[in-house]
Amino acid sequence: MNARMAAASIRARLIMTVLARALAWGAAALLGLVLLAAALDALRPLPEPSRAAALWVAVLAAIGVAAAVLWRGRHSLDLLRVALFVEECSPADFVFVTAVSTGGDYGGDVRRGVRPALLRALVVPVAVALVLGGIAVMLPDGVLARVLSPSALDVLRGPAAMDPAASRLAPIVVRVIGPAYAGGSVREEANPSSVRALAGSRIEIIGGGAAHGAVDSIHATVHDRVTVAEADGERWTIRLPLPAAAAAVRLTDRRHERLLALEPVPDLAPVVTLQSPARDTTYATPRGSLTLAASAEDDIGLASLAFEILHTSGFGERFETGRRELGLVQGRGRAAQIRGSIQLDTMRLGPGDVLHIRAIAADRNALTGPGRAASDTRTIRIHDPRQRDTVSLQLGIEIPIDTSVLSQRELIIRAETLLARQRRLRPDTFRARAIELGVRQRQLREHVEEVIEEIETESEDVRIGSTVVSRFLAQAVSAMIDAENELGVASVAGARPHMYRALRLLQQARDATARYYLRGTLPKVVVDLDRARLRGRDSARAEARQPRDAAADHRRALLARLDRAAAIAGVNRAAAADSLTVIRIEALAQVPDAADALARAIAALRVGDPALEPLRAARRRLERRSESSAGILPWLAAP
Amino acid sequence: MKPFAFCTGMYASGDWESAPQVPANIIDSLARYTTLPLAPAGVNVPLDSDALFEHPFVFLTGHLPVFFTANERRNLARFVERGGFLFVDDHNHDIDGVFHRTMTDELARLFGPLRLVPNDHALYRAFFQFRDGPPATSHEMNGWGDNLVHQHLTAVMRDGRIDVLYSNKDYSSEWSMHPDTKRMMQVDPTRFGVNVVVYALTR
C-alpha cells in the first residue's frame, strides 16, 4: 500500500476528530456559561439586558473555544505531520514517515494504532458537553428560558404567589405599542415607575396571578376613567391609550394600589431650512433666475417637502396675492432635500411686486398631525420707483460696464449700417471702414480687459481672482477678439454674431453686479403737544381699574408638597415614591426643569438606594426663583 | 417718568410702514384727551432688535404676507412675556386676506390661538366708553375688503388681561389722516386708539 495514501486516510479521520472535538468543546463552553448565568440569575434575578448580554457572551465564547481547538489541530492537514502522529501512536523507527516523505510503499497497518488515540481525544470534551447538557435538561421550567430568550415578561415567569391575598400588582410588565405611522414598534419594560412613549402609542399593563381570584378586581384609573383587566391564562392585561398629557395611572387590586406615570413624548414637527435664496433681496428689474434649495428633517418621517411662493402685487389699498407650490417631494425618509429655480422674467412681476419664498414640510403623523413646519421666509421685492422710502445704491464698477454695453451696441449699429451700404461703397472704402471698426472693437476690448483687472485686483499685492462679473466679461473679451479678427479681413457679416455675443455677455455682467436697496425711511411727523394738550371735545369716562391678582406660584405649591413627601420617606418609602410620582407628573407640565431630579429621587426610593441627594436636587430646582440678567434693558419708553 | 412713545414695529417681510400717519394721529389724540407724558413723534423699531424692549407698546400693521424671522419671533415672545402690549391691525380689512392669514398664523404660533374679546371687556371702558365693543370704521361701513362689520376684536389673553390685541377693522386706514382733520369730524375716530394705549399702560 502506498504510504501517502495511507497517510491521507489517517488525515481524513484526524480532521473529522478535530472538528468533532471543536464542536464538543464549543458546546461545552456555551452550556457552561449559560448554566452559570442561569445559576446567578436564580440566586439574584439579573436584569433583562444582563441576561441578553450573558447569552451573547456564551455564544462568542463557544465560537472562540471551537476556533482555538481548530487552530490547535491545524497540523492535521499536513501529511508529514500526520505521519509523525502515526509514528507517535505506534513507533516504527520512522519507517512510515520516511515512506510518506519519499512516496514509497508501507506494509504495516497504521489505523490500528491511531484509533485509540483519536477516541481518547474525543472522550473528555464529549463527556463534559453531555454532563452540562444533562444538567440543563434537569433544570426547572423557565430557568434556562430566562437566559436563552430574555424578555421583560420574564418577571412574570416562575411559581405563582402562594398567598391569594397578596398583591397581583407586582411584578408587572408594561408593553408599549408605537403608533402605526411610526412603525408600530413594540417594547416591554419590567416594573417601571414611569413610562415615556411617543404620543399616540397604546399601553398594555400585564401582570400575573390571574388564577388567584377574579381579575375584574384589578383595574386602572386615569383621570377618573376606569379600565378593568382582562384575564389571559395565568396573566391579566389592562389595555389603554397613552393620554395626551402626562398622567398617573392608579392600579388597584382589591386593597392594593400602585402608581404608574405615563409621559407622552410629542411627535416633533419637521425642521425645515431654506438654503437658497440666502437673504432678502430687492431687484431693480425682474430678470434672471433665482436658485431655490431647501432641506428638512423629522424625528419620525417626512411626508412632503415643497417650496411655497406667494406673489403679491398691487399698490395703495389694493393688493392681490397668488400662491403656488414648487418641487413637491413625497417620501418616507427622515430627511429630504429639494432644489429648483424660478425665472423672474416669466413670472409677470411688476414694480412693487413682492415674492415670499419659503419651504414647507409635513410629517407622517396620521394621529395627532400631520405636523407641519416652514422654513424662514425670504422676501424678494421688485423695486418700485414710486416708493419714496427706497434708496438705490449701485456699485461704481457698473459705470464702465454700462459704457461698454453702450459702446458695443454702437459698434453693432455701425457694423450693420456698413453692411447695408456695402453695395453702394467701393470695395476698398468698405474694407477701410471695416478695419476701422475692428480698431474700435480692439479699443473697447482693451477697455473691458482693464475693467476685469480692476475687478479681480483688490490692491497691487492682493488679487481676488475671477468673480461672476469678471467671468462674463472675460467671455465677452473672447467674443470681441473673434469679431476683431473678422473685421480685420473686412468680413463684417462674419463679425456680427461675435459682436452680438459680446453684447449679450456684457449685459449679463451688468445684471450680475450687486445693487442695494435700503427700506425704512419714513417722514418724521412731530406733533405740537402744547397746542393739542387737553383740547379734545369728547369727554372720557374711564372705569375704576381692578387690582391684578397675584400670579399662581406653581413652584412654591409643588415645593410644599415635596417637603411633605420627603418627610414620610423615612417611614414609608413606597408611599413617598408614589407621592413624588404625582408631584412629578404636575412638574412635567408646570416646572419641567425639576422633573428629572424628581425622577431620580423616585427611582432611588423604589430600589432602596439613598434618596437624600436627589431629593435635595429636586428641592433646589423647585426653589429656583425668577432670574434676571444684566443684558435685559429696562422699560425706558423714550425715543 | 419717561414720556410714552408710540412705537411701530418694523418686520422684514411685508409693508410695516403702510400707515405712516397713524402714530402722529394717536399721539395727538393722547395729548388732546389725557395728561400722559408723551414723546412728540412716533418711533419705528425693528422687531429683531433689543430696542424693542425699551417700549411697553408696539403697533403692527400692513397689507402684505407676514412671516417673522427667527429673531423677530424670539424678541416678540420675550416682549410679551415681559409684559409688553402688542396691537396688530389688518390694514386690508379682509378676513381672507394674506395679512390676516399669515399674521394670525404667526401670532397663534407664538402665543396660542386668538380668542374673541367680549364687548364688555375693560378695554372698552379704559378711557372712553364703547358700549357696543369696538367702534366700526368707515371702511367697514363702505363695504371694503371682506364687506363685514366685525363685531369683536380678538386677542391673546392671560387671566382676562390682553397681551396681544388683533383687529380686522382696518383702524390703520381709519386713523390715516392729518391730526388737524379731526377738527372737521363729528366724532373723533381715534378715541378708540386712546383706549388701546391707556389700557396697555394701565392693565
PDB file of all heavy atoms in Angstrom, chain A residues 381 519 527 531 533-534 537 541 543 548 633 635-637, chain B residues 2-3 17 31-32 34 40 54-55 125 127 129 131 185 203:
ATOM      1  N   ARG A 381     -38.223  91.554  -3.454  1.00  0.00           N
ATOM      2  CA  ARG A 381     -39.030  92.696  -3.907  1.00  0.00           C
ATOM      3  C   ARG A 381     -38.525  93.173  -5.275  1.00  0.00           C
ATOM      4  O   ARG A 381     -37.338  93.068  -5.570  1.00  0.00           O
ATOM      5  CB  ARG A 381     -38.917  93.861  -2.916  1.00  0.00           C
ATOM      6  CG  ARG A 381     -39.410  93.533  -1.525  1.00  0.00           C
ATOM      7  CD  ARG A 381     -39.059  94.667  -0.561  1.00  0.00           C
ATOM      8  NE  ARG A 381     -39.208  94.221   0.823  1.00  0.00           N
ATOM      9  CZ  ARG A 381     -40.342  94.303   1.517  1.00  0.00           C
ATOM     10  NH1 ARG A 381     -41.394  94.851   0.974  1.00  0.00           N
ATOM     11  NH2 ARG A 381     -40.408  93.868   2.762  1.00  0.00           N
ATOM     12  N   ARG A 519     -34.637 100.022   2.764  1.00  0.00           N
ATOM     13  CA  ARG A 519     -36.009 100.429   3.036  1.00  0.00           C
ATOM     14  C   ARG A 519     -36.099 101.010   4.445  1.00  0.00           C
ATOM     15  O   ARG A 519     -35.223 100.810   5.265  1.00  0.00           O
ATOM     16  CB  ARG A 519     -36.951  99.229   2.936  1.00  0.00           C
ATOM     17  CG  ARG A 519     -36.973  98.575   1.603  1.00  0.00           C
ATOM     18  CD  ARG A 519     -37.913  97.388   1.590  1.00  0.00           C
ATOM     19  NE  ARG A 519     -39.301  97.797   1.742  1.00  0.00           N
ATOM     20  CZ  ARG A 519     -40.043  97.520   2.790  1.00  0.00           C
ATOM     21  NH1 ARG A 519     -39.542  96.845   3.788  1.00  0.00           N
ATOM     22  NH2 ARG A 519     -41.294  97.919   2.853  1.00  0.00           N
ATOM     23  N   VAL A 527     -45.669 116.082  16.490  1.00  0.00           N
ATOM     24  CA  VAL A 527     -46.939 116.656  16.939  1.00  0.00           C
ATOM     25  C   VAL A 527     -46.650 117.816  17.899  1.00  0.00           C
ATOM     26  O   VAL A 527     -45.786 117.706  18.771  1.00  0.00           O
ATOM     27  CB  VAL A 527     -47.783 115.566  17.642  1.00  0.00           C
ATOM     28  CG1 VAL A 527     -49.083 116.159  18.180  1.00  0.00           C
ATOM     29  CG2 VAL A 527     -48.080 114.415  16.688  1.00  0.00           C
ATOM     30  N   ARG A 531     -49.949 122.569  21.735  1.00  0.00           N
ATOM     31  CA  ARG A 531     -51.130 123.095  21.059  1.00  0.00           C
ATOM     32  C   ARG A 531     -52.333 122.159  21.226  1.00  0.00           C
ATOM     33  O   ARG A 531     -53.471 122.584  21.298  1.00  0.00           O
ATOM     34  CB  ARG A 531     -50.819 123.286  19.566  1.00  0.00           C
ATOM     35  CG  ARG A 531     -51.898 124.049  18.815  1.00  0.00           C
ATOM     36  CD  ARG A 531     -51.422 124.434  17.438  1.00  0.00           C
ATOM     37  NE  ARG A 531     -51.345 123.286  16.547  1.00  0.00           N
ATOM     38  CZ  ARG A 531     -52.299 122.951  15.684  1.00  0.00           C
ATOM     39  NH1 ARG A 531     -53.382 123.673  15.592  1.00  0.00           N
ATOM     40  NH2 ARG A 531     -52.156 121.913  14.906  1.00  0.00           N
ATOM     41  N   ARG A 533     -52.672 119.735  23.726  1.00  0.00           N
ATOM     42  CA  ARG A 533     -52.901 119.208  25.071  1.00  0.00           C
ATOM     43  C   ARG A 533     -54.273 119.598  25.629  1.00  0.00           C
ATOM     44  O   ARG A 533     -54.600 120.782  25.745  1.00  0.00           O
ATOM     45  CB  ARG A 533     -51.786 119.670  25.997  1.00  0.00           C
ATOM     46  CG  ARG A 533     -51.849 119.101  27.379  1.00  0.00           C
ATOM     47  CD  ARG A 533     -51.695 117.581  27.396  1.00  0.00           C
ATOM     48  NE  ARG A 533     -50.295 117.145  27.369  1.00  0.00           N
ATOM     49  CZ  ARG A 533     -49.910 115.869  27.368  1.00  0.00           C
ATOM     50  NH1 ARG A 533     -50.833 114.910  27.356  1.00  0.00           N
ATOM     51  NH2 ARG A 533     -48.641 115.562  27.329  1.00  0.00           N
ATOM     52  N   LEU A 534     -55.067 118.600  25.932  1.00  0.00           N
ATOM     53  CA  LEU A 534     -56.376 118.706  26.570  1.00  0.00           C
ATOM     54  C   LEU A 534     -57.349 119.621  25.814  1.00  0.00           C
ATOM     55  O   LEU A 534     -58.183 120.303  26.410  1.00  0.00           O
ATOM     56  CB  LEU A 534     -56.219 119.166  28.034  1.00  0.00           C
ATOM     57  CG  LEU A 534     -55.454 118.180  28.922  1.00  0.00           C
ATOM     58  CD1 LEU A 534     -55.306 118.716  30.329  1.00  0.00           C
ATOM     59  CD2 LEU A 534     -56.143 116.822  28.945  1.00  0.00           C
ATOM     60  N   ARG A 537     -62.681 117.481  22.429  1.00  0.00           N
ATOM     61  CA  ARG A 537     -64.065 117.865  22.688  1.00  0.00           C
ATOM     62  C   ARG A 537     -64.844 116.761  23.395  1.00  0.00           C
ATOM     63  O   ARG A 537     -65.832 117.023  24.053  1.00  0.00           O
ATOM     64  CB  ARG A 537     -64.767 118.191  21.365  1.00  0.00           C
ATOM     65  CG  ARG A 537     -64.203 119.420  20.665  1.00  0.00           C
ATOM     66  CD  ARG A 537     -64.769 119.542  19.283  1.00  0.00           C
ATOM     67  NE  ARG A 537     -64.452 118.347  18.485  1.00  0.00           N
ATOM     68  CZ  ARG A 537     -64.836 118.165  17.248  1.00  0.00           C
ATOM     69  NH1 ARG A 537     -65.576 119.071  16.646  1.00  0.00           N
ATOM     70  NH2 ARG A 537     -64.514 117.082  16.581  1.00  0.00           N
ATOM     71  N   ARG A 541     -64.845 108.726  30.237  1.00  0.00           N
ATOM     72  CA  ARG A 541     -65.496 108.214  31.437  1.00  0.00           C
ATOM     73  C   ARG A 541     -64.860 106.853  31.753  1.00  0.00           C
ATOM     74  O   ARG A 541     -65.435 105.804  31.494  1.00  0.00           O
ATOM     75  CB  ARG A 541     -66.995 108.079  31.194  1.00  0.00           C
ATOM     76  CG  ARG A 541     -67.818 108.125  32.480  1.00  0.00           C
ATOM     77  CD  ARG A 541     -69.200 108.748  32.227  1.00  0.00           C
ATOM     78  NE  ARG A 541     -69.915 108.066  31.160  1.00  0.00           N
ATOM     79  CZ  ARG A 541     -70.708 107.024  31.362  1.00  0.00           C
ATOM     80  NH1 ARG A 541     -70.864 106.547  32.567  1.00  0.00           N
ATOM     81  NH2 ARG A 541     -71.338 106.460  30.360  1.00  0.00           N
ATOM     82  N   GLU A 543     -63.506 103.695  33.766  1.00  0.00           N
ATOM     83  CA  GLU A 543     -63.943 102.977  34.962  1.00  0.00           C
ATOM     84  C   GLU A 543     -62.758 102.698  35.872  1.00  0.00           C
ATOM     85  O   GLU A 543     -61.616 102.649  35.423  1.00  0.00           O
ATOM     86  CB  GLU A 543     -64.599 101.658  34.559  1.00  0.00           C
ATOM     87  CG  GLU A 543     -65.980 101.871  33.957  1.00  0.00           C
ATOM     88  CD  GLU A 543     -66.761 100.590  33.891  1.00  0.00           C
ATOM     89  OE1 GLU A 543     -66.184  99.531  34.195  1.00  0.00           O
ATOM     90  OE2 GLU A 543     -67.946 100.658  33.527  1.00  0.00           O
ATOM     91  N   ARG A 548     -54.696  93.731  40.094  1.00  0.00           N
ATOM     92  CA  ARG A 548     -54.279  92.483  39.450  1.00  0.00           C
ATOM     93  C   ARG A 548     -54.110  91.386  40.498  1.00  0.00           C
ATOM     94  O   ARG A 548     -53.508  91.619  41.554  1.00  0.00           O
ATOM     95  CB  ARG A 548     -52.953  92.723  38.743  1.00  0.00           C
ATOM     96  CG  ARG A 548     -52.483  91.570  37.889  1.00  0.00           C
ATOM     97  CD  ARG A 548     -51.067  91.836  37.463  1.00  0.00           C
ATOM     98  NE  ARG A 548     -50.999  93.017  36.599  1.00  0.00           N
ATOM     99  CZ  ARG A 548     -50.742  92.941  35.298  1.00  0.00           C
ATOM    100  NH1 ARG A 548     -50.533  91.782  34.738  1.00  0.00           N
ATOM    101  NH2 ARG A 548     -50.675  94.035  34.578  1.00  0.00           N
ATOM    102  N   LEU A 633     -32.863  95.068  28.949  1.00  0.00           N
ATOM    103  CA  LEU A 633     -32.986  96.504  29.147  1.00  0.00           C
ATOM    104  C   LEU A 633     -34.239  96.833  29.947  1.00  0.00           C
ATOM    105  O   LEU A 633     -35.225  96.128  29.874  1.00  0.00           O
ATOM    106  CB  LEU A 633     -33.064  97.197  27.784  1.00  0.00           C
ATOM    107  CG  LEU A 633     -31.849  96.987  26.886  1.00  0.00           C
ATOM    108  CD1 LEU A 633     -32.183  97.410  25.478  1.00  0.00           C
ATOM    109  CD2 LEU A 633     -30.683  97.802  27.412  1.00  0.00           C
ATOM    110  N   TRP A 635     -37.646  99.178  30.920  1.00  0.00           N
ATOM    111  CA  TRP A 635     -38.592  99.966  30.119  1.00  0.00           C
ATOM    112  C   TRP A 635     -38.124 101.421  30.149  1.00  0.00           C
ATOM    113  O   TRP A 635     -37.985 102.017  31.194  1.00  0.00           O
ATOM    114  CB  TRP A 635     -39.998  99.907  30.719  1.00  0.00           C
ATOM    115  CG  TRP A 635     -40.617  98.558  30.738  1.00  0.00           C
ATOM    116  CD1 TRP A 635     -40.927  97.829  31.835  1.00  0.00           C
ATOM    117  CD2 TRP A 635     -41.006  97.780  29.615  1.00  0.00           C
ATOM    118  NE1 TRP A 635     -41.480  96.645  31.469  1.00  0.00           N
ATOM    119  CE2 TRP A 635     -41.537  96.577  30.116  1.00  0.00           C
ATOM    120  CE3 TRP A 635     -40.951  97.949  28.242  1.00  0.00           C
ATOM    121  CZ2 TRP A 635     -42.013  95.576  29.299  1.00  0.00           C
ATOM    122  CZ3 TRP A 635     -41.429  96.951  27.433  1.00  0.00           C
ATOM    123  CH2 TRP A 635     -41.957  95.783  27.949  1.00  0.00           C
ATOM    124  N   LEU A 636     -37.894 101.991  29.042  1.00  0.00           N
ATOM    125  CA  LEU A 636     -37.455 103.382  29.005  1.00  0.00           C
ATOM    126  C   LEU A 636     -38.522 104.277  28.377  1.00  0.00           C
ATOM    127  O   LEU A 636     -38.814 105.366  28.839  1.00  0.00           O
ATOM    128  CB  LEU A 636     -36.161 103.519  28.195  1.00  0.00           C
ATOM    129  CG  LEU A 636     -34.946 102.848  28.840  1.00  0.00           C
ATOM    130  CD1 LEU A 636     -33.765 102.949  27.903  1.00  0.00           C
ATOM    131  CD2 LEU A 636     -34.624 103.492  30.165  1.00  0.00           C
ATOM    132  N   ALA A 637     -39.091 103.785  27.276  1.00  0.00           N
ATOM    133  CA  ALA A 637     -40.199 104.472  26.632  1.00  0.00           C
ATOM    134  C   ALA A 637     -39.835 105.816  26.028  1.00  0.00           C
ATOM    135  O   ALA A 637     -40.695 106.609  25.712  1.00  0.00           O
ATOM    136  CB  ALA A 637     -41.361 104.651  27.603  1.00  0.00           C
TER     137      ALA A 637
ATOM    138  N   LYS B   2     -40.359 108.627  32.133  1.00  0.00           N
ATOM    139  CA  LYS B   2     -40.091 108.856  30.712  1.00  0.00           C
ATOM    140  C   LYS B   2     -41.401 109.016  29.948  1.00  0.00           C
ATOM    141  O   LYS B   2     -42.389 108.347  30.280  1.00  0.00           O
ATOM    142  CB  LYS B   2     -39.335 107.660  30.138  1.00  0.00           C
ATOM    143  CG  LYS B   2     -37.982 107.435  30.774  1.00  0.00           C
ATOM    144  CD  LYS B   2     -36.975 108.403  30.217  1.00  0.00           C
ATOM    145  CE  LYS B   2     -35.599 108.108  30.797  1.00  0.00           C
ATOM    146  NZ  LYS B   2     -34.606 109.066  30.309  1.00  0.00           N
ATOM    147  N   PRO B   3     -41.432 109.882  28.964  1.00  0.00           N
ATOM    148  CA  PRO B   3     -42.677 110.047  28.216  1.00  0.00           C
ATOM    149  C   PRO B   3     -42.984 108.819  27.365  1.00  0.00           C
ATOM    150  O   PRO B   3     -42.074 108.102  26.943  1.00  0.00           O
ATOM    151  CB  PRO B   3     -42.402 111.269  27.346  1.00  0.00           C
ATOM    152  CG  PRO B   3     -40.926 111.335  27.228  1.00  0.00           C
ATOM    153  CD  PRO B   3     -40.357 110.762  28.493  1.00  0.00           C
ATOM    154  N   GLU B  17     -44.666  99.722   7.053  1.00  0.00           N
ATOM    155  CA  GLU B  17     -44.741 101.181   7.015  1.00  0.00           C
ATOM    156  C   GLU B  17     -45.988 101.676   6.280  1.00  0.00           C
ATOM    157  O   GLU B  17     -46.052 102.810   5.820  1.00  0.00           O
ATOM    158  CB  GLU B  17     -43.482 101.731   6.346  1.00  0.00           C
ATOM    159  CG  GLU B  17     -43.369 101.535   4.832  1.00  0.00           C
ATOM    160  CD  GLU B  17     -42.887 100.163   4.409  1.00  0.00           C
ATOM    161  OE1 GLU B  17     -43.262  99.168   5.070  1.00  0.00           O
ATOM    162  OE2 GLU B  17     -42.163 100.076   3.408  1.00  0.00           O
ATOM    163  N   ALA B  31     -52.658 113.473  23.503  1.00  0.00           N
ATOM    164  CA  ALA B  31     -52.422 114.807  24.052  1.00  0.00           C
ATOM    165  C   ALA B  31     -53.741 115.540  24.273  1.00  0.00           C
ATOM    166  O   ALA B  31     -53.931 116.241  25.274  1.00  0.00           O
ATOM    167  CB  ALA B  31     -51.525 115.601  23.112  1.00  0.00           C
ATOM    168  N   ARG B  32     -54.689 115.375  23.354  1.00  0.00           N
ATOM    169  CA  ARG B  32     -55.971 116.090  23.461  1.00  0.00           C
ATOM    170  C   ARG B  32     -56.780 115.631  24.679  1.00  0.00           C
ATOM    171  O   ARG B  32     -57.477 116.417  25.289  1.00  0.00           O
ATOM    172  CB  ARG B  32     -56.815 115.836  22.208  1.00  0.00           C
ATOM    173  CG  ARG B  32     -56.392 116.652  21.012  1.00  0.00           C
ATOM    174  CD  ARG B  32     -57.231 116.271  19.794  1.00  0.00           C
ATOM    175  NE  ARG B  32     -56.643 116.833  18.596  1.00  0.00           N
ATOM    176  CZ  ARG B  32     -56.918 118.067  18.155  1.00  0.00           C
ATOM    177  NH1 ARG B  32     -57.766 118.818  18.808  1.00  0.00           N
ATOM    178  NH2 ARG B  32     -56.336 118.518  17.060  1.00  0.00           N
ATOM    179  N   THR B  34     -55.646 113.159  27.315  1.00  0.00           N
ATOM    180  CA  THR B  34     -55.012 112.645  28.529  1.00  0.00           C
ATOM    181  C   THR B  34     -53.871 113.556  28.957  1.00  0.00           C
ATOM    182  O   THR B  34     -53.444 114.441  28.201  1.00  0.00           O
ATOM    183  CB  THR B  34     -54.432 111.230  28.325  1.00  0.00           C
ATOM    184  OG1 THR B  34     -53.212 111.333  27.586  1.00  0.00           O
ATOM    185  CG2 THR B  34     -55.392 110.328  27.574  1.00  0.00           C
ATOM    186  N   PRO B  40     -43.203 113.580  21.249  1.00  0.00           N
ATOM    187  CA  PRO B  40     -43.982 114.248  20.203  1.00  0.00           C
ATOM    188  C   PRO B  40     -44.016 113.504  18.868  1.00  0.00           C
ATOM    189  O   PRO B  40     -44.839 113.822  18.019  1.00  0.00           O
ATOM    190  CB  PRO B  40     -43.265 115.592  20.044  1.00  0.00           C
ATOM    191  CG  PRO B  40     -41.890 115.345  20.543  1.00  0.00           C
ATOM    192  CD  PRO B  40     -41.989 114.321  21.611  1.00  0.00           C
ATOM    193  N   GLU B  54     -37.402  98.617  24.901  1.00  0.00           N
ATOM    194  CA  GLU B  54     -37.473  99.945  25.505  1.00  0.00           C
ATOM    195  C   GLU B  54     -38.899 100.486  25.486  1.00  0.00           C
ATOM    196  O   GLU B  54     -39.154 101.570  25.984  1.00  0.00           O
ATOM    197  CB  GLU B  54     -36.545 100.910  24.762  1.00  0.00           C
ATOM    198  CG  GLU B  54     -35.080 100.508  24.861  1.00  0.00           C
ATOM    199  CD  GLU B  54     -34.191 101.429  24.047  1.00  0.00           C
ATOM    200  OE1 GLU B  54     -34.680 102.507  23.654  1.00  0.00           O
ATOM    201  OE2 GLU B  54     -33.044 101.050  23.796  1.00  0.00           O
ATOM    202  N   HIS B  55     -39.801  99.741  24.853  1.00  0.00           N
ATOM    203  CA  HIS B  55     -41.164 100.258  24.676  1.00  0.00           C
ATOM    204  C   HIS B  55     -42.184  99.273  25.231  1.00  0.00           C
ATOM    205  O   HIS B  55     -42.095  98.081  24.946  1.00  0.00           O
ATOM    206  CB  HIS B  55     -41.427 100.519  23.194  1.00  0.00           C
ATOM    207  CG  HIS B  55     -40.441 101.471  22.597  1.00  0.00           C
ATOM    208  ND1 HIS B  55     -40.573 102.830  22.703  1.00  0.00           N
ATOM    209  CD2 HIS B  55     -39.277 101.250  21.938  1.00  0.00           C
ATOM    210  CE1 HIS B  55     -39.543 103.416  22.116  1.00  0.00           C
ATOM    211  NE2 HIS B  55     -38.736 102.476  21.646  1.00  0.00           N
ATOM    212  N   ARG B 125     -63.691 100.269  28.245  1.00  0.00           N
ATOM    213  CA  ARG B 125     -64.032 101.253  29.275  1.00  0.00           C
ATOM    214  C   ARG B 125     -62.769 101.867  29.881  1.00  0.00           C
ATOM    215  O   ARG B 125     -62.821 102.516  30.912  1.00  0.00           O
ATOM    216  CB  ARG B 125     -64.837 100.582  30.397  1.00  0.00           C
ATOM    217  CG  ARG B 125     -66.062  99.827  29.904  1.00  0.00           C
ATOM    218  CD  ARG B 125     -66.891  99.316  31.084  1.00  0.00           C
ATOM    219  NE  ARG B 125     -66.108  98.481  31.972  1.00  0.00           N
ATOM    220  CZ  ARG B 125     -65.947  97.161  31.847  1.00  0.00           C
ATOM    221  NH1 ARG B 125     -66.528  96.529  30.838  1.00  0.00           N
ATOM    222  NH2 ARG B 125     -65.222  96.466  32.695  1.00  0.00           N
ATOM    223  N   PHE B 127     -60.897 104.284  28.916  1.00  0.00           N
ATOM    224  CA  PHE B 127     -60.878 105.756  28.935  1.00  0.00           C
ATOM    225  C   PHE B 127     -62.220 106.290  28.439  1.00  0.00           C
ATOM    226  O   PHE B 127     -62.973 106.864  29.189  1.00  0.00           O
ATOM    227  CB  PHE B 127     -59.719 106.279  28.085  1.00  0.00           C
ATOM    228  CG  PHE B 127     -59.377 107.698  28.406  1.00  0.00           C
ATOM    229  CD1 PHE B 127     -58.594 108.015  29.505  1.00  0.00           C
ATOM    230  CD2 PHE B 127     -59.862 108.737  27.621  1.00  0.00           C
ATOM    231  CE1 PHE B 127     -58.308 109.342  29.820  1.00  0.00           C
ATOM    232  CE2 PHE B 127     -59.578 110.069  27.926  1.00  0.00           C
ATOM    233  CZ  PHE B 127     -58.798 110.367  29.030  1.00  0.00           C
ATOM    234  N   GLN B 129     -66.023 105.318  26.796  1.00  0.00           N
ATOM    235  CA  GLN B 129     -66.958 104.198  26.899  1.00  0.00           C
ATOM    236  C   GLN B 129     -67.380 103.748  25.497  1.00  0.00           C
ATOM    237  O   GLN B 129     -67.861 104.568  24.705  1.00  0.00           O
ATOM    238  CB  GLN B 129     -68.205 104.624  27.677  1.00  0.00           C
ATOM    239  CG  GLN B 129     -67.954 104.902  29.142  1.00  0.00           C
ATOM    240  CD  GLN B 129     -67.961 103.626  29.983  1.00  0.00           C
ATOM    241  OE1 GLN B 129     -68.514 102.621  29.578  1.00  0.00           O
ATOM    242  NE2 GLN B 129     -67.343 103.682  31.152  1.00  0.00           N
ATOM    243  N   ARG B 131     -69.869 101.056  24.435  1.00  0.00           N
ATOM    244  CA  ARG B 131     -70.804 100.066  24.974  1.00  0.00           C
ATOM    245  C   ARG B 131     -71.029  98.899  24.021  1.00  0.00           C
ATOM    246  O   ARG B 131     -71.395  97.809  24.448  1.00  0.00           O
ATOM    247  CB  ARG B 131     -72.147 100.731  25.296  1.00  0.00           C
ATOM    248  CG  ARG B 131     -72.013 101.801  26.364  1.00  0.00           C
ATOM    249  CD  ARG B 131     -73.352 102.233  26.895  1.00  0.00           C
ATOM    250  NE  ARG B 131     -73.191 103.333  27.834  1.00  0.00           N
ATOM    251  CZ  ARG B 131     -72.783 103.170  29.082  1.00  0.00           C
ATOM    252  NH1 ARG B 131     -72.504 101.978  29.527  1.00  0.00           N
ATOM    253  NH2 ARG B 131     -72.646 104.215  29.873  1.00  0.00           N
ATOM    254  N   MET B 185     -64.439 116.638  12.042  1.00  0.00           N
ATOM    255  CA  MET B 185     -65.247 115.422  12.161  1.00  0.00           C
ATOM    256  C   MET B 185     -66.165 115.511  13.374  1.00  0.00           C
ATOM    257  O   MET B 185     -65.782 116.045  14.416  1.00  0.00           O
ATOM    258  CB  MET B 185     -64.347 114.199  12.265  1.00  0.00           C
ATOM    259  CG  MET B 185     -63.384 114.083  11.098  1.00  0.00           C
ATOM    260  SD  MET B 185     -62.256 112.727  11.310  1.00  0.00           S
ATOM    261  CE  MET B 185     -63.012 111.568  10.217  1.00  0.00           C
ATOM    262  N   ARG B 203     -53.119  98.169  32.382  1.00  0.00           N
ATOM    263  CA  ARG B 203     -53.796  96.875  32.619  1.00  0.00           C
ATOM    264  C   ARG B 203     -53.129  96.131  33.761  1.00  0.00           C
ATOM    265  O   ARG B 203     -51.953  96.317  34.039  1.00  0.00           O
ATOM    266  CB  ARG B 203     -53.787  96.033  31.341  1.00  0.00           C
ATOM    267  CG  ARG B 203     -52.466  95.422  30.991  1.00  0.00           C
ATOM    268  CD  ARG B 203     -52.354  95.192  29.526  1.00  0.00           C
ATOM    269  NE  ARG B 203     -50.958  95.213  29.160  1.00  0.00           N
ATOM    270  CZ  ARG B 203     -50.242  94.122  28.897  1.00  0.00           C
ATOM    271  NH1 ARG B 203     -50.802  92.943  28.926  1.00  0.00           N
ATOM    272  NH2 ARG B 203     -48.972  94.210  28.580  1.00  0.00           N
TER     273      ARG B 203
END
